[in-house]
Amino acid sequence: MKLKKCQLLFLLFLIAGTIYIAVSNNDASAVRIRKFSEPIFGTLMNVTYTSSEDLHDTIMACLHGADASMSMFNPQSTLSRINRGETDALDMYLQELLPIAYNISEATDGAFDITVAPLVNAWGFGFKNGQLPTDEQVDSLLTLVDFRTIKILDGHVIKDNPNTVIDLSAIAKGFGTDLVANLLRKHGISDFMVEIGGEIVCSGNNPKGEAWHIGINRPVEDSTGTKNEIQEIIDVHNGAMATSGNYRNFYITDDGCKLSHTIDPSTGRPVRHNLLSATVMAPSCAVADAFATSFMVMGMEKAITVIGQNPQLQAYFIYTDSLGNYRTWSSIQAGK
Ligand code: ADP
Ligand code: MG
């Protein structure tokens, strides 16, 4: 059978159309750059990854599981129930996170202390009660604060004092960022960036095929957390990074006193020194997050000593000198 020219043309259109429809239907599973933002842990998460799979729902299910495990704001979370003494059994998230947190408490000689919550609350953070504690109240609450009074044994947590409260807020965002990064790696994804409230894990290349350009915020005083000025951009291919700063999340008392939300567990009082922000790079984001908070407690000098003793940690500090000028100190090697 011989086809006429117009029939042949029609057939060609038909074939081209079918191929086009097949390709566009398949587009959902094509390897491409995928991006989304979602609220989680009281802040915002941003994820960018290159993959044939849409992992949005898997990622969110994992993080909602973590939130139901360690949120201080959800009365039904495992951690809330442990804090009320209703259970001592750790779920799978806490079995992983609690030992990490405990080790950092030991490594920082208690600058990082997961039992600090009563003091955080007394100073008006966490649940914002707004009433400053007296010296006697601080001394009395300090008797509840010591990570050494809790033990982790066979998937259970044992508290010497039933009134001890465990608070993982200073490590939770970093841990959540690690969870998402590990999930992406498990799906064979090597180019990604995950950020939860400023804590970041990145891998491989950005969508332009370059290192990820990570901005470190200039410590502009801003208790609303809405102003963003960049102090420096660091290029990273693979790394976990977290920042702690007392230029945000501070609290101004009626008499104009500025109080940080980071508490020094050795004094029971909000930290006060010239270190404005600590950005830490570490093998995992949970570790970076906890050390960032610890460095804010220790201050510059001690933090630099700790960095010197731990080759797996790098840091970028922003501080004020005696004249009030911004200065920086860094051990971060760019372009890793
Ligand atoms: P930042 O981004 O400044 O590190 P985070 O949200 O990570 O802030 O941590 C702040 C929270 O950490 C506080 O609200 C409090 O619950 C907790 N926290 C304060 N001081 C300490 C401390 N010395 N050790 C552990 N956790 C702390
Ligand atoms: Mg932190």
Side-chain angles (χ1 to χ4, degrees):
M1 184 183 78
K2 250 188 150 187
L3 288 174
K4 280 190 193 147
K5 209 172 171 186
C6 64
Q7 281 175 316
L8 194 68
L9 257 176
F10 178 71
L11 203 66
L12 277 176
F13 270 124
L14 209 67
I15 294 167
T18 313
I19 292 172
Y20 175 77
I21 289 166
V23 167
S24 26
N25 276 350
N26 225 12
D27 199 32
S29 63
V31 174
R32 61 183 174 86
I33 294 153
R34 295 167 191 270
K35 273 185 190 204
F36 69 88
S37 299
E38 282 280 357
I40 190 79
F41 300 161
T43 180
L44 197 67
M45 168 173 69
N46 292 295
V47 188
T48 304
Y49 60 105
T50 305
S51 172
S52 59
E53 272 181 283
D54 181 351
L55 290 169
H56 171 276
D57 294 355
T58 318
I59 290 171
M60 292 318 295
C62 169
L63 288 180
H64 286 136
D67 195 64
S69 161
M70 58 202 184
S71 170
M72 296 287 277
F73 298 94
N74 171 358
Q76 286 318 312
S77 72
T78 313
L79 193 59
S80 297
R81 291 191 299 116
I82 288 173
N83 283 336
R84 288 196 301 269
E86 292 167 12
T87 180
D88 64 1
L90 301 172
D91 60 28
M92 68 170 189
Y93 295 101
L94 292 176
Q95 283 195 35
E96 195 180 336
L97 180 56
L98 212 51
I100 301 174
Y102 197 93
N103 287 343
I104 295 172
S105 291
E106 279 183 327
T108 59
D109 213 6
F112 183 78
D113 195 317
I114 50 175
T115 63
V116 80
L119 288 166
V120 174
N121 293 338
W123 284 101
F125 288 93
F127 304 104
K128 299 227 158 77
N129 65 17
Q131 285 255 315
L132 293 194
T134 61
D135 287 351
E136 291 73 32
Q137 283 167 331
V138 170
D139 289 345
S140 144
L141 291 171
L142 264 173
T143 62
L144 283 174
V145 177
D146 185 358
F147 70 95
R148 295 170 195 86
T149 62
I150 59 173
K151 314 252 165 335
I152 305 160
L153 208 65
D154 297 332
H156 293 260
V157 60
I158 295 140
K159 298 195 267 178
D160 289 352
N161 183 337
N163 295 325
T164 301
V165 176
I166 300 172
D167 172 6
L168 296 168
S169 310
I171 192 169
K173 280 182 286 163
F175 181 66
T177 310
D178 285 331
L179 287 175
V180 179
N182 291 336
L183 201 153
L184 293 171
R185 289 188 188 111
K186 236 173 56 196
H187 281 79
I189 298 163
S190 52
D191 292 331
F192 65 79
M193 206 263 294
V194 185
E195 183 245 330
I196 303 181
E199 325 304 20
I200 297 169
V201 177
C202 54
S203 168
N205 291 335
N206 74 5
K208 290 185 184 157
E210 303 159 347
W212 295 93
H213 309 303
I214 311 291
I216 295 181
N217 276 339
R218 201 173 155 74
V220 183
E221 290 208 352
D222 169 26
S223 60
T224 61
T226 51
K227 291 182 201 151
N228 275 319
E229 279 181 36
I230 302 294
Q231 171 83 27
E232 183 141 342
I233 292 177
I234 295 179
D235 287 349
V236 188
H237 281 287
N238 298 294
M241 189 186 262
T243 299
S244 202
N246 62 22
Y247 55 99
R248 275 211 183 138
N249 289 318
F250 56 82
Y251 174 77
I252 310 231
T253 62
D254 291 342
D255 53 1
C257 190
K258 194 186 122 190
L259 301 172
S260 157
H261 72 157
T262 308
I263 303 290
D264 183 344
S266 68
T267 62
R269 289 169 171 78
V271 295
R272 267 166 206 261
H273 43 63
N274 65 340
L275 184 54
L276 301 174
S277 105
T279 296
V280 177
M281 283 188 77
S284 77
C285 202
V287 170
D289 199 1
F291 269 102
T293 297
S294 312
F295 290 157
M296 292 308 296
V297 174
M298 291 175 198
M300 276 272 287
E301 214 175 304
K302 209 162 162 207
I304 289 173
T305 309
V306 173
I307 296 279
Q309 292 161 347
N310 292 280
Q312 80 279 17
L313 299 177
Q314 297 174 43
Y316 184 100
F317 298 130
I318 306 177
Y319 63 100
T320 44
D321 66 13
S322 53
L323 299 171
N325 299 315
Y326 281 179
R327 300 242 171 250
T328 61
W329 180 97
S330 175
S331 69
I332 291 184
Q333 294 135 26
K336 263 190 16 158

PDB file of all heavy atoms in Angstrom, residues 187-220:
ATOM      1  N   HIS A 187      18.772   7.378  49.040  1.00  0.00           N
ATOM      2  CA  HIS A 187      18.122   7.274  47.727  1.00  0.00           C
ATOM      3  C   HIS A 187      19.118   7.540  46.592  1.00  0.00           C
ATOM      4  O   HIS A 187      18.711   7.813  45.456  1.00  0.00           O
ATOM      5  CB  HIS A 187      16.931   8.238  47.631  1.00  0.00           C
ATOM      6  CG  HIS A 187      15.717   7.709  48.339  1.00  0.00           C
ATOM      7  ND1 HIS A 187      15.549   7.772  49.708  1.00  0.00           N
ATOM      8  CD2 HIS A 187      14.628   7.045  47.872  1.00  0.00           C
ATOM      9  CE1 HIS A 187      14.413   7.214  50.052  1.00  0.00           C
ATOM     10  NE2 HIS A 187      13.835   6.754  48.956  1.00  0.00           N
ATOM     11  N   GLY A 188      20.397   7.509  46.908  1.00  0.00           N
ATOM     12  CA  GLY A 188      21.438   7.632  45.883  1.00  0.00           C
ATOM     13  C   GLY A 188      21.645   9.056  45.379  1.00  0.00           C
ATOM     14  O   GLY A 188      22.256   9.264  44.333  1.00  0.00           O
ATOM     15  N   ILE A 189      21.130  10.032  46.127  1.00  0.00           N
ATOM     16  CA  ILE A 189      21.243  11.433  45.672  1.00  0.00           C
ATOM     17  C   ILE A 189      22.550  12.037  46.203  1.00  0.00           C
ATOM     18  O   ILE A 189      22.834  11.940  47.397  1.00  0.00           O
ATOM     19  CB  ILE A 189      20.014  12.237  46.149  1.00  0.00           C
ATOM     20  CG1 ILE A 189      18.758  11.621  45.522  1.00  0.00           C
ATOM     21  CG2 ILE A 189      20.142  13.715  45.820  1.00  0.00           C
ATOM     22  CD1 ILE A 189      17.483  12.026  46.189  1.00  0.00           C
ATOM     23  N   SER A 190      23.335  12.634  45.316  1.00  0.00           N
ATOM     24  CA  SER A 190      24.626  13.170  45.778  1.00  0.00           C
ATOM     25  C   SER A 190      24.709  14.696  45.656  1.00  0.00           C
ATOM     26  O   SER A 190      25.603  15.311  46.226  1.00  0.00           O
ATOM     27  CB  SER A 190      25.780  12.513  45.026  1.00  0.00           C
ATOM     28  OG  SER A 190      25.539  12.608  43.641  1.00  0.00           O
ATOM     29  N   ASP A 191      23.785  15.315  44.908  1.00  0.00           N
ATOM     30  CA  ASP A 191      23.779  16.781  44.823  1.00  0.00           C
ATOM     31  C   ASP A 191      22.565  17.319  45.583  1.00  0.00           C
ATOM     32  O   ASP A 191      21.426  17.193  45.107  1.00  0.00           O
ATOM     33  CB  ASP A 191      23.697  17.238  43.358  1.00  0.00           C
ATOM     34  CG  ASP A 191      24.964  16.902  42.585  1.00  0.00           C
ATOM     35  OD1 ASP A 191      26.042  16.850  43.217  1.00  0.00           O
ATOM     36  OD2 ASP A 191      24.880  16.677  41.366  1.00  0.00           O
ATOM     37  N   PHE A 192      22.818  17.884  46.756  1.00  0.00           N
ATOM     38  CA  PHE A 192      21.679  18.406  47.533  1.00  0.00           C
ATOM     39  C   PHE A 192      22.122  19.442  48.559  1.00  0.00           C
ATOM     40  O   PHE A 192      23.307  19.527  48.906  1.00  0.00           O
ATOM     41  CB  PHE A 192      20.919  17.270  48.236  1.00  0.00           C
ATOM     42  CG  PHE A 192      21.703  16.527  49.299  1.00  0.00           C
ATOM     43  CD1 PHE A 192      21.873  17.048  50.572  1.00  0.00           C
ATOM     44  CD2 PHE A 192      22.262  15.287  49.017  1.00  0.00           C
ATOM     45  CE1 PHE A 192      22.579  16.358  51.552  1.00  0.00           C
ATOM     46  CE2 PHE A 192      22.988  14.583  49.984  1.00  0.00           C
ATOM     47  CZ  PHE A 192      23.140  15.123  51.248  1.00  0.00           C
ATOM     48  N   MET A 193      21.142  20.193  49.014  1.00  0.00           N
ATOM     49  CA  MET A 193      21.350  21.112  50.133  1.00  0.00           C
ATOM     50  C   MET A 193      20.095  21.086  50.993  1.00  0.00           C
ATOM     51  O   MET A 193      18.997  21.210  50.462  1.00  0.00           O
ATOM     52  CB  MET A 193      21.572  22.528  49.598  1.00  0.00           C
ATOM     53  CG  MET A 193      22.373  23.423  50.511  1.00  0.00           C
ATOM     54  SD  MET A 193      21.426  24.495  51.535  1.00  0.00           S
ATOM     55  CE  MET A 193      20.679  25.558  50.373  1.00  0.00           C
ATOM     56  N   VAL A 194      20.260  20.862  52.280  1.00  0.00           N
ATOM     57  CA  VAL A 194      19.140  20.858  53.222  1.00  0.00           C
ATOM     58  C   VAL A 194      19.416  21.925  54.260  1.00  0.00           C
ATOM     59  O   VAL A 194      20.536  21.994  54.778  1.00  0.00           O
ATOM     60  CB  VAL A 194      19.017  19.495  53.966  1.00  0.00           C
ATOM     61  CG1 VAL A 194      17.783  19.473  54.841  1.00  0.00           C
ATOM     62  CG2 VAL A 194      19.034  18.336  53.004  1.00  0.00           C
ATOM     63  N   GLU A 195      18.421  22.722  54.553  1.00  0.00           N
ATOM     64  CA  GLU A 195      18.618  23.765  55.568  1.00  0.00           C
ATOM     65  C   GLU A 195      17.386  23.836  56.450  1.00  0.00           C
ATOM     66  O   GLU A 195      16.267  23.952  55.951  1.00  0.00           O
ATOM     67  CB  GLU A 195      18.837  25.107  54.863  1.00  0.00           C
ATOM     68  CG  GLU A 195      19.125  26.252  55.784  1.00  0.00           C
ATOM     69  CD  GLU A 195      18.041  27.313  55.781  1.00  0.00           C
ATOM     70  OE1 GLU A 195      17.382  27.487  54.756  1.00  0.00           O
ATOM     71  OE2 GLU A 195      17.845  27.939  56.831  1.00  0.00           O
ATOM     72  N   ILE A 196      17.573  23.691  57.748  1.00  0.00           N
ATOM     73  CA  ILE A 196      16.460  23.878  58.683  1.00  0.00           C
ATOM     74  C   ILE A 196      16.854  24.993  59.646  1.00  0.00           C
ATOM     75  O   ILE A 196      17.777  24.839  60.448  1.00  0.00           O
ATOM     76  CB  ILE A 196      16.115  22.582  59.469  1.00  0.00           C
ATOM     77  CG1 ILE A 196      15.787  21.433  58.507  1.00  0.00           C
ATOM     78  CG2 ILE A 196      14.950  22.844  60.433  1.00  0.00           C
ATOM     79  CD1 ILE A 196      15.410  20.111  59.180  1.00  0.00           C
ATOM     80  N   GLY A 197      16.170  26.131  59.527  1.00  0.00           N
ATOM     81  CA  GLY A 197      16.413  27.274  60.422  1.00  0.00           C
ATOM     82  C   GLY A 197      17.878  27.686  60.505  1.00  0.00           C
ATOM     83  O   GLY A 197      18.371  27.995  61.588  1.00  0.00           O
ATOM     84  N   GLY A 198      18.591  27.639  59.385  1.00  0.00           N
ATOM     85  CA  GLY A 198      19.988  28.090  59.367  1.00  0.00           C
ATOM     86  C   GLY A 198      21.006  26.974  59.553  1.00  0.00           C
ATOM     87  O   GLY A 198      22.195  27.203  59.374  1.00  0.00           O
ATOM     88  N   GLU A 199      20.559  25.770  59.933  1.00  0.00           N
ATOM     89  CA  GLU A 199      21.495  24.639  60.051  1.00  0.00           C
ATOM     90  C   GLU A 199      21.485  23.914  58.700  1.00  0.00           C
ATOM     91  O   GLU A 199      20.405  23.647  58.152  1.00  0.00           O
ATOM     92  CB  GLU A 199      21.109  23.692  61.199  1.00  0.00           C
ATOM     93  CG  GLU A 199      20.499  24.325  62.446  1.00  0.00           C
ATOM     94  CD  GLU A 199      21.303  25.416  63.132  1.00  0.00           C
ATOM     95  OE1 GLU A 199      22.201  26.018  62.497  1.00  0.00           O
ATOM     96  OE2 GLU A 199      21.001  25.706  64.296  1.00  0.00           O
ATOM     97  N   ILE A 200      22.675  23.626  58.178  1.00  0.00           N
ATOM     98  CA  ILE A 200      22.787  23.206  56.773  1.00  0.00           C
ATOM     99  C   ILE A 200      23.611  21.939  56.597  1.00  0.00           C
ATOM    100  O   ILE A 200      24.644  21.771  57.246  1.00  0.00           O
ATOM    101  CB  ILE A 200      23.476  24.343  55.959  1.00  0.00           C
ATOM    102  CG1 ILE A 200      22.619  25.596  55.982  1.00  0.00           C
ATOM    103  CG2 ILE A 200      23.775  23.920  54.523  1.00  0.00           C
ATOM    104  CD1 ILE A 200      23.306  26.832  55.449  1.00  0.00           C
ATOM    105  N   VAL A 201      23.153  21.060  55.697  1.00  0.00           N
ATOM    106  CA  VAL A 201      24.034  20.006  55.173  1.00  0.00           C
ATOM    107  C   VAL A 201      24.012  20.134  53.661  1.00  0.00           C
ATOM    108  O   VAL A 201      22.935  20.226  53.057  1.00  0.00           O
ATOM    109  CB  VAL A 201      23.579  18.582  55.581  1.00  0.00           C
ATOM    110  CG1 VAL A 201      24.502  17.536  54.946  1.00  0.00           C
ATOM    111  CG2 VAL A 201      23.594  18.403  57.098  1.00  0.00           C
ATOM    112  N   CYS A 202      25.190  20.177  53.042  1.00  0.00           N
ATOM    113  CA  CYS A 202      25.199  20.190  51.582  1.00  0.00           C
ATOM    114  C   CYS A 202      26.123  19.109  51.057  1.00  0.00           C
ATOM    115  O   CYS A 202      26.995  18.606  51.774  1.00  0.00           O
ATOM    116  CB  CYS A 202      25.546  21.565  51.030  1.00  0.00           C
ATOM    117  SG  CYS A 202      27.052  22.242  51.648  1.00  0.00           S
ATOM    118  N   SER A 203      25.869  18.725  49.801  1.00  0.00           N
ATOM    119  CA  SER A 203      26.621  17.635  49.195  1.00  0.00           C
ATOM    120  C   SER A 203      26.758  17.906  47.696  1.00  0.00           C
ATOM    121  O   SER A 203      25.818  18.396  47.059  1.00  0.00           O
ATOM    122  CB  SER A 203      25.850  16.335  49.441  1.00  0.00           C
ATOM    123  OG  SER A 203      26.367  15.290  48.646  1.00  0.00           O
ATOM    124  N   GLY A 204      27.922  17.590  47.165  1.00  0.00           N
ATOM    125  CA  GLY A 204      28.135  17.670  45.710  1.00  0.00           C
ATOM    126  C   GLY A 204      28.091  19.088  45.185  1.00  0.00           C
ATOM    127  O   GLY A 204      28.718  19.994  45.730  1.00  0.00           O
ATOM    128  N   ASN A 205      27.289  19.270  44.127  1.00  0.00           N
ATOM    129  CA  ASN A 205      27.232  20.561  43.430  1.00  0.00           C
ATOM    130  C   ASN A 205      25.874  21.227  43.569  1.00  0.00           C
ATOM    131  O   ASN A 205      24.859  20.552  43.758  1.00  0.00           O
ATOM    132  CB  ASN A 205      27.491  20.352  41.939  1.00  0.00           C
ATOM    133  CG  ASN A 205      28.921  19.944  41.668  1.00  0.00           C
ATOM    134  OD1 ASN A 205      29.829  20.247  42.456  1.00  0.00           O
ATOM    135  ND2 ASN A 205      29.119  19.234  40.575  1.00  0.00           N
ATOM    136  N   ASN A 206      25.876  22.548  43.415  1.00  0.00           N
ATOM    137  CA  ASN A 206      24.610  23.273  43.359  1.00  0.00           C
ATOM    138  C   ASN A 206      24.032  23.154  41.935  1.00  0.00           C
ATOM    139  O   ASN A 206      24.687  22.575  41.058  1.00  0.00           O
ATOM    140  CB  ASN A 206      24.807  24.726  43.827  1.00  0.00           C
ATOM    141  CG  ASN A 206      25.524  25.602  42.809  1.00  0.00           C
ATOM    142  OD1 ASN A 206      25.808  25.176  41.685  1.00  0.00           O
ATOM    143  ND2 ASN A 206      25.825  26.814  43.201  1.00  0.00           N
ATOM    144  N   PRO A 207      22.820  23.655  41.688  1.00  0.00           N
ATOM    145  CA  PRO A 207      22.214  23.475  40.363  1.00  0.00           C
ATOM    146  C   PRO A 207      23.044  24.044  39.210  1.00  0.00           C
ATOM    147  O   PRO A 207      22.866  23.662  38.058  1.00  0.00           O
ATOM    148  CB  PRO A 207      20.870  24.190  40.486  1.00  0.00           C
ATOM    149  CG  PRO A 207      20.535  24.070  41.935  1.00  0.00           C
ATOM    150  CD  PRO A 207      21.844  24.216  42.646  1.00  0.00           C
ATOM    151  N   LYS A 208      23.985  24.957  39.514  1.00  0.00           N
ATOM    152  CA  LYS A 208      24.837  25.490  38.438  1.00  0.00           C
ATOM    153  C   LYS A 208      26.102  24.669  38.255  1.00  0.00           C
ATOM    154  O   LYS A 208      27.002  25.046  37.500  1.00  0.00           O
ATOM    155  CB  LYS A 208      25.230  26.939  38.761  1.00  0.00           C
ATOM    156  CG  LYS A 208      24.079  27.910  38.654  1.00  0.00           C
ATOM    157  CD  LYS A 208      24.626  29.306  38.866  1.00  0.00           C
ATOM    158  CE  LYS A 208      23.527  30.338  38.863  1.00  0.00           C
ATOM    159  NZ  LYS A 208      23.937  31.546  39.591  1.00  0.00           N
ATOM    160  N   GLY A 209      26.203  23.565  39.001  1.00  0.00           N
ATOM    161  CA  GLY A 209      27.387  22.715  38.890  1.00  0.00           C
ATOM    162  C   GLY A 209      28.583  23.248  39.659  1.00  0.00           C
ATOM    163  O   GLY A 209      29.724  22.848  39.433  1.00  0.00           O
ATOM    164  N   GLU A 210      28.312  24.174  40.605  1.00  0.00           N
ATOM    165  CA  GLU A 210      29.405  24.759  41.405  1.00  0.00           C
ATOM    166  C   GLU A 210      29.287  24.265  42.842  1.00  0.00           C
ATOM    167  O   GLU A 210      28.343  23.553  43.177  1.00  0.00           O
ATOM    168  CB  GLU A 210      29.250  26.291  41.431  1.00  0.00           C
ATOM    169  CG  GLU A 210      29.227  26.930  40.077  1.00  0.00           C
ATOM    170  CD  GLU A 210      28.572  28.316  40.120  1.00  0.00           C
ATOM    171  OE1 GLU A 210      27.935  28.657  41.136  1.00  0.00           O
ATOM    172  OE2 GLU A 210      28.700  29.029  39.123  1.00  0.00           O
ATOM    173  N   ALA A 211      30.224  24.729  43.697  1.00  0.00           N
ATOM    174  CA  ALA A 211      30.079  24.477  45.137  1.00  0.00           C
ATOM    175  C   ALA A 211      28.832  25.220  45.620  1.00  0.00           C
ATOM    176  O   ALA A 211      28.379  26.176  44.976  1.00  0.00           O
ATOM    177  CB  ALA A 211      31.304  24.992  45.875  1.00  0.00           C
ATOM    178  N   TRP A 212      28.281  24.780  46.732  1.00  0.00           N
ATOM    179  CA  TRP A 212      27.156  25.508  47.323  1.00  0.00           C
ATOM    180  C   TRP A 212      27.716  26.778  47.970  1.00  0.00           C
ATOM    181  O   TRP A 212      28.757  26.734  48.626  1.00  0.00           O
ATOM    182  CB  TRP A 212      26.469  24.641  48.382  1.00  0.00           C
ATOM    183  CG  TRP A 212      25.833  23.419  47.789  1.00  0.00           C
ATOM    184  CD1 TRP A 212      26.396  22.189  47.676  1.00  0.00           C
ATOM    185  CD2 TRP A 212      24.529  23.333  47.205  1.00  0.00           C
ATOM    186  NE1 TRP A 212      25.518  21.322  47.060  1.00  0.00           N
ATOM    187  CE2 TRP A 212      24.365  21.997  46.759  1.00  0.00           C
ATOM    188  CE3 TRP A 212      23.479  24.231  47.002  1.00  0.00           C
ATOM    189  CZ2 TRP A 212      23.209  21.555  46.135  1.00  0.00           C
ATOM    190  CZ3 TRP A 212      22.326  23.784  46.392  1.00  0.00           C
ATOM    191  CH2 TRP A 212      22.192  22.467  45.959  1.00  0.00           C
ATOM    192  N   HIS A 213      27.043  27.895  47.753  1.00  0.00           N
ATOM    193  CA  HIS A 213      27.506  29.160  48.343  1.00  0.00           C
ATOM    194  C   HIS A 213      26.687  29.410  49.612  1.00  0.00           C
ATOM    195  O   HIS A 213      25.497  29.715  49.537  1.00  0.00           O
ATOM    196  CB  HIS A 213      27.317  30.319  47.366  1.00  0.00           C
ATOM    197  CG  HIS A 213      27.901  30.025  46.002  1.00  0.00           C
ATOM    198  ND1 HIS A 213      29.230  29.690  45.833  1.00  0.00           N
ATOM    199  CD2 HIS A 213      27.339  30.011  44.775  1.00  0.00           C
ATOM    200  CE1 HIS A 213      29.456  29.485  44.553  1.00  0.00           C
ATOM    201  NE2 HIS A 213      28.332  29.658  43.878  1.00  0.00           N
ATOM    202  N   ILE A 214      27.334  29.254  50.748  1.00  0.00           N
ATOM    203  CA  ILE A 214      26.625  29.380  52.031  1.00  0.00           C
ATOM    204  C   ILE A 214      26.920  30.744  52.654  1.00  0.00           C
ATOM    205  O   ILE A 214      28.086  31.078  52.908  1.00  0.00           O
ATOM    206  CB  ILE A 214      27.065  28.269  53.024  1.00  0.00           C
ATOM    207  CG1 ILE A 214      27.023  26.879  52.373  1.00  0.00           C
ATOM    208  CG2 ILE A 214      26.242  28.331  54.309  1.00  0.00           C
ATOM    209  CD1 ILE A 214      25.661  26.345  52.057  1.00  0.00           C
ATOM    210  N   GLY A 215      25.880  31.513  52.902  1.00  0.00           N
ATOM    211  CA  GLY A 215      26.057  32.847  53.484  1.00  0.00           C
ATOM    212  C   GLY A 215      26.051  32.778  55.002  1.00  0.00           C
ATOM    213  O   GLY A 215      25.239  32.087  55.598  1.00  0.00           O
ATOM    214  N   ILE A 216      27.005  33.484  55.613  1.00  0.00           N
ATOM    215  CA  ILE A 216      26.985  33.617  57.080  1.00  0.00           C
ATOM    216  C   ILE A 216      26.414  34.995  57.388  1.00  0.00           C
ATOM    217  O   ILE A 216      26.917  36.010  56.892  1.00  0.00           O
ATOM    218  CB  ILE A 216      28.399  33.451  57.671  1.00  0.00           C
ATOM    219  CG1 ILE A 216      28.870  32.010  57.406  1.00  0.00           C
ATOM    220  CG2 ILE A 216      28.414  33.775  59.157  1.00  0.00           C
ATOM    221  CD1 ILE A 216      30.235  31.681  57.961  1.00  0.00           C
ATOM    222  N   ASN A 217      25.353  35.006  58.186  1.00  0.00           N
ATOM    223  CA  ASN A 217      24.675  36.275  58.466  1.00  0.00           C
ATOM    224  C   ASN A 217      25.542  37.224  59.271  1.00  0.00           C
ATOM    225  O   ASN A 217      26.271  36.813  60.172  1.00  0.00           O
ATOM    226  CB  ASN A 217      23.387  36.027  59.257  1.00  0.00           C
ATOM    227  CG  ASN A 217      22.231  35.687  58.345  1.00  0.00           C
ATOM    228  OD1 ASN A 217      22.258  35.994  57.151  1.00  0.00           O
ATOM    229  ND2 ASN A 217      21.229  35.046  58.895  1.00  0.00           N
ATOM    230  N   ARG A 218      25.419  38.508  58.944  1.00  0.00           N
ATOM    231  CA  ARG A 218      26.041  39.539  59.758  1.00  0.00           C
ATOM    232  C   ARG A 218      25.183  39.658  61.014  1.00  0.00           C
ATOM    233  O   ARG A 218      23.951  39.631  60.926  1.00  0.00           O
ATOM    234  CB  ARG A 218      25.994  40.846  58.965  1.00  0.00           C
ATOM    235  CG  ARG A 218      26.975  41.870  59.392  1.00  0.00           C
ATOM    236  CD  ARG A 218      26.927  43.050  58.414  1.00  0.00           C
ATOM    237  NE  ARG A 218      27.389  44.247  59.078  1.00  0.00           N
ATOM    238  CZ  ARG A 218      28.652  44.493  59.375  1.00  0.00           C
ATOM    239  NH1 ARG A 218      29.583  43.637  59.057  1.00  0.00           N
ATOM    240  NH2 ARG A 218      28.993  45.599  59.984  1.00  0.00           N
ATOM    241  N   PRO A 219      25.817  39.735  62.184  1.00  0.00           N
ATOM    242  CA  PRO A 219      25.014  39.755  63.415  1.00  0.00           C
ATOM    243  C   PRO A 219      24.311  41.095  63.641  1.00  0.00           C
ATOM    244  O   PRO A 219      24.678  41.865  64.514  1.00  0.00           O
ATOM    245  CB  PRO A 219      26.032  39.451  64.516  1.00  0.00           C
ATOM    246  CG  PRO A 219      27.362  39.675  63.923  1.00  0.00           C
ATOM    247  CD  PRO A 219      27.244  39.708  62.438  1.00  0.00           C
ATOM    248  N   VAL A 220      23.284  41.362  62.850  1.00  0.00           N
ATOM    249  CA  VAL A 220      22.500  42.582  63.005  1.00  0.00           C
ATOM    250  C   VAL A 220      21.483  42.303  64.108  1.00  0.00           C
ATOM    251  O   VAL A 220      20.766  41.311  64.043  1.00  0.00           O
ATOM    252  CB  VAL A 220      21.735  42.910  61.702  1.00  0.00           C
ATOM    253  CG1 VAL A 220      20.989  44.216  61.833  1.00  0.00           C
ATOM    254  CG2 VAL A 220      22.686  42.953  60.532  1.00  0.00           C
TER     255      VAL A 220
END
